[in-house]
Amino acid sequence: MKIPDWFYDDRVQKITPEKLSLLLRLAEQLEGKRTQKEIMPIVMGAVASANRQNLSFSREEFEMIFRIMKEGKSAEEQAQMDATLARAQRMFSGKK
């Protein structure tokens, strides 16, 4: 797997190694996936894995990672990422 460019961003290096490892595994699993139908089960599995490891990301960490991941993407890709994020947030808040 090619390590994603965002992993080398100085802002990411403030995150603990355990969380970074989880993020890299998630990035590997998401590689080549484009639709919410493909992405959401992987993200949900990553959340479950993080919970089992007692890892949680602060809102600031999550938002920073998401902003970095969106950098350099087309407007269409960014919109798709935003839609996926909104759907995940609704799922985590218990709303459909």
Side-chain angles (χ1 to χ4, degrees):
M1 172 194 143
K2 177 184 177 267
I3 295 178
D5 293 337
W6 57 261
F7 183 79
Y8 298 106
D9 191 292
D10 288 339
R11 296 169 287 184
V12 172
Q13 300 311 310
K14 298 173 186 172
I15 298 174
T16 66
E18 296 84 10
K19 291 179 185 179
L20 287 176
S21 177
L22 177 73
L23 288 173
L24 282 175
R25 286 193 310 274
L26 177 60
E28 182 177 26
Q29 292 172 342
L30 290 174
E31 195 169 325
K33 307 295 189 278
R34 297 286 179 246
T35 67
Q36 287 186 17
K37 189 174 185 175
E38 294 174 309
I39 293 169
M40 289 310 295
I42 295 168
V43 170
M44 298 304 290
V47 169
S49 177
N51 288 338
R52 284 191 301 275
Q53 297 174 53
N54 292 321
L55 294 176
S56 62
F57 291 87
S58 70
R59 182 176 193 92
E60 293 80 19
E61 287 174 326
F62 183 79
E63 289 175 357
M64 175 203 46
I65 292 163
F66 199 73
R67 276 193 310 273
I68 292 169
M69 291 173 74
K70 286 174 58 175
E71 290 174 3
K73 303 280 188 214
S74 69
E76 182 181 333
E77 289 172 312
Q78 288 185 19
Q80 189 173 34
M81 290 174 78
D82 288 338
T84 300
L85 175 62
R87 183 164 186 237
Q89 287 173 328
R90 283 192 305 274
M91 289 176 72
F92 293 127
S93 68
K95 299 175 186 172
K96 297 259 174 174

